[in-house]
Amino acid sequence: MSRETQTLDQKSLRLIQGTRSDYQTLANDCVCFANAAGGCLRIGIEDGQALPPPEQRIAPDLLDKLRKRIGELTVNVHVAPEVVRAANGGEYIALTVARSVGVASTSDGRYFMRMGDTCQPVRGDDVLHLLNDRPNLPWEAMVSQQVPVAAADAAKVQALVDALRTSDRVKISVKDKSDAELLAHYGLSDGDVLTHLGVLMVGTDRDRARLGTAPAIAAIKFDELGQKVNKWLWDDYTLSPVDLVDAVWSEIPDFHESYELPDGLHRQKLPAYDKRVVRELLVNALVHRPYTQRGDIFVNLHPDRLEVVNPGRFPLGVTPQTILHASRRRNDRMATLFHDLRLMEKEGSGFDLMYDVQLSHGRSVPVPKEGVDSVSVTIGRRVQRPEVVKLMMEADARYQLRQRERITLGLLAVAPEGLTARELAARLELGSTDELRPIWLDRLLDMGLVASTGRTQAVRYFVSPDLLKGKGLDEKTTLRRLEPHRLRALIVEDLARYAGSSSADVHRRTAPELALRTVRRALEDLVEQEQVRFEGDRRWRRYWLGPKGQLP
């Protein structure tokens, strides 16, 4: 299995030694890391290996040559190589690449970006996207308005420093700083003036409005016909981004509605929208938007869903298909401040939280979309399967499931027919089915919460039938969610009546709702079990009952 990640790559020592050295490829990889989140290149460890060869030694002059060549072949890339001795005695080079402040490129004008565990070239319009995302001086740190620290809103300053000093996410050494030192530590001030971030957080409404891109929020409620029936506005710049999150949550009455679900003799209350999910959506909209672009944040309330629309596109390297795992910070200082104030989850875990809560409440997962100049995330309000709520609560209370295990169990619980390994990996946005077992599935299988059937690529996972009984989830089987052993029984019965049939004929008579390849796979299983035999090849192949073939 590959040991490479978003911030770690491994390269052979042959890349920088001998007559076939290729410093240009190494330079491209350094640009990739510099334009993403930084990272480390382990030179001297082969792909798929954890250690270098035991006898491997690094020449003393190689570090200087490496540093010099990378400097010649790249622009705005800073590296720090060092020799590391591994546990087996072998040596390798750990080449640390810092995240660039501006945009990194090769000396011949090419751009690259680290996306997942691969290095991708950046071309065309994406180059402009990268330039907008990575200015030489971050928008947060700019001081163009020259607002004195003394002109900040004293009440907002006091509220902010009090919240930081009471947060369990802030180190003691930081809490001991003075108010002025705290503002500087979080990038709210630069000397005697407030940065743009400082104006947003503790500035006056007049100074905040002068920024031009300070966030304004419009919440609009629609009826079943799509007509506007209510509207709330926060566009006077009196509230900081921190205050906006609380204001939107508390002032929209729809967020405080709830359902009552039957639970035996009692009734269980379920919020129409979970507070954690709504706040995470709002925080993401405020923290990850490009503050170099104008535009309001829209909170659209429909009878069956909530949609949050934010100006700007996803950061380069993040797509709707990779958002569950990809992590890109557009506004570093603001993200750190919101995290330390306990307003957002740690980096890269916000969508995990929303998946977890939505599935635990029997609702659909968040749906992100990217438009030409905006991003939207939609969450469902209606409970698709109320029975799933009780199942998830009981399973979590009994086994203390981890977050990723709850997500997996929730996805399988709302899919009555279960999911194939490929389908589950796709819904979890994993690169391959090999990534399912270590974290997402192993404990669920060991505890008996999830069962499986089939082999290799045909394996299908589903919630254990014992759990489904009594929860109203053991629905009548239909052809669309036909289990493999039942499909095989239908095929045996069909061939007993119509010997010498083709796979297409068997498919048409037994399960036309299923894909032809599923029926062919079942036929292959029956041939292997000697319940079915065949004659001919390819399009001329015909099937009969085999020596062990018998009706169910």
Side-chain angles (χ1 to χ4, degrees):
M1 186 176 68
S2 174
R3 298 175 182 272
E4 298 175 353
T5 66
Q6 170 72 25
T7 57
L8 178 65
D9 202 354
Q10 297 181 173
K11 297 294 179 184
S12 172
L13 197 60
R14 294 189 298 272
L15 198 66
I16 58 173
Q17 280 187 336
T19 57
R20 293 190 173 184
S21 62
D22 187 0
Y23 276 92
Q24 186 61 62
T25 296
L26 184 62
N28 295 348
D29 288 326
C30 291
V31 171
C32 278
F33 281 116
N35 279 331
C40 181
L41 284 156
R42 293 177 178 175
I43 305 173
I45 303 180
E46 300 290 339
D47 288 345
Q49 300 297 314
L51 298 170
E55 70 282 357
Q56 182 170 279
R57 296 293 179 268
I58 303 299
D61 62 339
L62 195 54
L63 296 188
D64 288 336
K65 182 180 179 182
L66 179 61
R67 190 183 295 107
K68 179 181 178 182
R69 290 295 291 138
I70 295 300
E72 293 171 345
L73 294 170
T74 64
V75 176
N76 210 11
V77 173
H78 302 281
V79 298
E82 64 173 332
V83 176
V84 177
R85 185 178 291 273
N88 65 351
E91 293 182 347
Y92 66 92
I93 298 175
L95 183 67
T96 302
V97 183
R99 182 180 188 270
S100 65
V101 176
V103 177
S105 69
T106 59
S107 56
D108 57 358
R110 291 178 296 152
Y111 302 89
F112 298 89
M113 184 81 171
R114 185 78 173 176
M115 299 182 185
D117 59 357
T118 60
C119 183
Q120 301 289 337
V122 181
R123 302 188 181 97
D125 291 342
D126 285 339
V127 174
L128 293 176
H129 193 175
L130 179 61
L131 291 170
N132 289 331
D133 274 355
R134 302 296 300 276
N136 288 327
L137 181 63
W139 181 90
E140 302 170 294
M142 294 179 181
V143 292
S144 60
Q145 285 189 288
Q146 293 293 307
V147 178
V149 173
D153 187 317
K156 281 183 167 51
V157 171
Q158 193 61 51
L160 181 64
V161 297
D162 288 346
L164 289 170
R165 289 196 174 104
T166 56
S167 172
D168 58 358
R169 293 183 178 178
V170 179
K171 296 179 181 179
I172 298 297
S173 58
V174 176
K175 293 180 180 181
D176 289 339
K177 295 179 181 291
S178 67
D179 292 356
E181 290 172 335
L182 268 178
L183 295 182
H185 176 79
Y186 283 98
L188 305 181
S189 65
D190 184 357
D192 296 329
V193 297
L194 293 175
T195 61
H196 284 181
L197 179 60
V199 174
L200 271 184
M201 294 297 173
V202 296
T204 63
D205 52 351
R206 177 176 174 274
D207 291 329
R208 197 175 293 112
R210 287 172 55 204
L211 283 175
T213 56
I217 298 180
I220 305 172
K221 183 175 181 177
F222 298 88
D223 62 15
E224 295 281 358
L225 300 176
Q227 302 295 322
K228 296 179 183 179
V229 295
N230 208 344
K231 186 174 183 178
W232 300 266
L233 289 176
W234 295 270
D235 60 353
D236 58 2
Y237 306 111
T238 58
L239 301 177
S240 70
V242 173
D243 299 329
L244 278 172
V245 176
D246 292 327
V248 174
W249 169 258
S250 60
E251 294 179 28
I252 297 180
D254 298 63
F255 290 154
H256 306 282
E257 297 176 357
S258 61
Y259 300 106
E260 283 195 351
L261 301 178
D263 186 9
L265 298 176
H266 305 283
R267 309 286 290 182
Q268 178 186 350
K269 275 196 171 184
L270 193 68
Y273 294 104
D274 190 278
K275 182 177 182 180
R276 293 167 293 175
V277 174
V278 174
R279 289 176 69 89
E280 189 68 31
L281 285 172
L282 294 172
V283 167
N284 279 339
L286 291 165
V287 171
H288 298 306
R289 63 171 289 169
Y291 279 89
T292 55
Q293 180 176 336
R294 293 176 180 267
D296 294 349
I297 297 170
F298 288 92
V299 178
N300 298 325
L301 292 137
H302 297 271
D304 62 339
R305 67 192 185 278
L306 168 67
E307 179 186 46
V308 177
V309 184
N310 206 27
R313 297 169 60 191
F314 284 124
L316 195 63
V318 178
T319 69
Q321 291 73 40
T322 63
I323 197 168
L324 191 58
H325 305 287
S327 178
R328 299 284 188 279
R329 283 189 172 189
R330 182 173 265 141
N331 303 295
D332 286 321
R333 291 296 185 91
M334 187 183 294
T336 300
L337 182 61
F338 270 66
H339 173 267
D340 287 0
L341 290 172
R342 300 194 64 85
L343 290 173
M344 67 182 295
E345 296 298 306
K346 63 182 179 180
E347 186 174 359
S349 64
F351 259 78
D352 290 47
L353 170 70
M354 290 191 283
Y355 264 65
D356 180 9
V357 175
Q358 286 291 102
L359 289 169
S360 295
H361 289 175
R363 296 183 169 117
S364 58
V365 298
V367 179
K369 291 182 180 179
E370 185 175 35
V372 176
D373 60 354
S374 65
V375 167
S376 68
V377 180
T378 303
I379 59 168
R381 168 175 175 152
R382 292 172 180 165
V383 179
Q384 294 179 320
R385 310 192 76 199
E387 303 85 359
V388 171
V389 180
K390 186 176 181 182
L391 183 150
M392 296 293 293
M393 289 179 61
E394 291 182 359
D396 192 29
R398 183 174 180 181
Y399 297 102
Q400 289 79 53
L401 301 178
R402 300 164 184 163
Q403 185 179 67
R404 291 187 174 184
E405 292 165 349
R406 288 195 300 271
I407 292 173
T408 305
L409 184 62
L411 285 172
L412 294 173
V414 298
E417 70 277 18
L419 297 170
T420 65
R422 286 181 176 177
E423 290 170 340
L424 183 57
R427 297 196 187 189
L428 292 172
E429 299 172 4
L430 301 177
S432 70
T433 56
D434 295 336
E435 300 177 46
L436 284 172
R437 296 300 298 267
I439 300 175
W440 301 87
L441 267 173
D442 272 0
R443 284 205 335 137
L444 294 176
L445 291 166
D446 293 342
M447 292 182 293
L449 295 175
V450 170
S452 65
T453 184
R455 302 186 307 276
T456 62
Q457 295 297 326
V459 66
R460 178 177 290 272
Y461 298 102
F462 51 91
V463 177
S464 174
D466 293 337
L467 280 179
L468 300 181
K469 283 186 178 180
K471 303 290 188 303
L473 294 171
D474 49 343
E475 299 180 4
K476 182 179 178 181
T477 301
T478 67
L479 286 177
R480 185 164 295 280
R481 46 181 177 262
L482 197 62
E483 294 181 9
H485 70 277
R486 298 185 181 180
L487 175 59
R488 291 193 290 268
L490 279 178
I491 292 174
V492 169
E493 182 179 353
D494 182 77
L495 290 178
R497 298 178 182 176
Y498 305 101
S501 295
S502 67
S503 59
D505 289 335
V506 174
H507 171 248
R508 175 176 52 81
R509 290 191 299 262
T510 58
E513 294 89 349
L514 299 179
L516 175 59
R517 65 176 179 275
T518 303
V519 174
R520 285 176 173 167
R521 193 181 301 124
L523 281 165
E524 291 172 4
D525 291 342
L526 289 169
V527 169
E528 186 176 331
Q529 298 167 11
E530 298 184 12
Q531 294 189 58
V532 169
R533 65 181 179 86
F534 68 87
E535 294 179 7
D537 198 12
R538 297 183 181 275
R539 60 182 297 187
W540 309 111
R541 179 172 291 188
R542 298 295 183 267
Y543 295 89
W544 288 263
L545 287 184
K548 296 183 180 180
Q550 56 182 352
L551 292 177

